[in-house]
Amino acid sequence: MLPNIMVLSMWRNDSERNIEHRMRHLLRLQITTKLAQLRWVWVVGDSADATEQILRQQALTASTSGLDVEVVLHNTGIVGEAYGPHPDPHSRMLRSSQTVSAGLDCVRDADTYVLYCESDLRLASGLVDRFVESGKCPVAGWVILKVENPPIFYDTWAYRGLDGVHFTNHPPYH
């Protein structure tokens, strides 16, 4: 029997940020895995645009193909600027923590693993299978630079968004 993996992603004000491409990319994970049955939980938090409606429409469309996509709305009510010229890192982290917790509340007894996946990252084909094959728990993607011995962990700034641009450590981060 294949393990059940809940793929958890958070969304906020994403309707103008390649949302259709990002949704299709996440759903394509089922096509590229042979070792797991996936279901998706997309948590929308503190969004002021059409993100929730777009995700719900995609979830409905995906269900006609036999995919299990649940959209959860979780507004934190936390005030603070997450992006822009004067971001408030404390409120951003608090909001992110509460939003991801709402997603973790959706874990089912039948779920073998939870894969947290940023909605705007590009994942390599077969990545889910490599995680399952590792036999480890937890397991995570991890970028390193092999410029020294031992290799250097490069953190999330080595990752690129779906538009190919590297993340930075300064607002707007991407």
Side-chain angles (χ1 to χ4, degrees), residues 8-35:
L8 173 60
S9 300
M10 293 191 302
W11 304 77
R12 180 176 187 264
N13 294 328
D14 287 305
S15 66
E16 299 295 323
R17 296 182 54 229
N18 298 318
I19 192 169
E20 289 83 9
H21 179 73
R22 292 162 54 194
M23 291 182 301
R24 284 191 307 271
H25 180 72
L26 287 170
L27 295 175
R28 202 173 305 128
L29 290 174
Q30 185 63 69
I31 296 168
T32 64
T33 183
K34 295 172 181 57
L35 300 180

Side-chain angles (χ1 to χ4, degrees), residues 13-90:
N13 294 328
D14 287 305
S15 66
E16 299 295 323
R17 296 182 54 229
N18 298 318
I19 192 169
E20 289 83 9
H21 179 73
R22 292 162 54 194
M23 291 182 301
R24 284 191 307 271
H25 180 72
L26 287 170
L27 295 175
R28 202 173 305 128
L29 290 174
Q30 185 63 69
I31 296 168
T32 64
T33 183
K34 295 172 181 57
L35 300 180
Q37 179 60 47
L38 306 181
R39 74 180 184 91
W40 293 262
V41 173
W42 293 342
V43 184
V44 182
D46 302 309
S47 208
D49 65 5
T51 297
E52 179 188 6
Q53 292 81 6
I54 294 168
L55 294 174
R56 288 192 187 282
Q57 181 59 49
Q58 180 62 52
L60 185 61
T61 301
S63 71
T64 64
S65 300
L67 299 178
D68 184 358
V69 182
E70 179 180 356
V71 178
V72 175
L73 177 63
H74 181 77
N75 290 320
T76 64
I78 298 170
V79 177
E81 183 61 38
Y83 304 99
H86 305 289
D88 178 7
H90 177 73

Side-chain angles (χ1 to χ4, degrees), residues 149-161:
N149 195 5
I152 301 170
F153 172 52
Y154 193 59
D155 204 352
T156 58
W157 295 292
Y159 289 99
R160 296 175 185 255

Side-chain angles (χ1 to χ4, degrees), residues 8 41 43 72-74 96-107:
L8 173 60
V41 173
V43 184
V72 175
L73 177 63
H74 181 77
S96 294
S97 175
Q98 289 185 10
T99 303
V100 79
S101 290
L104 291 172
D105 287 343
C106 297
V107 175

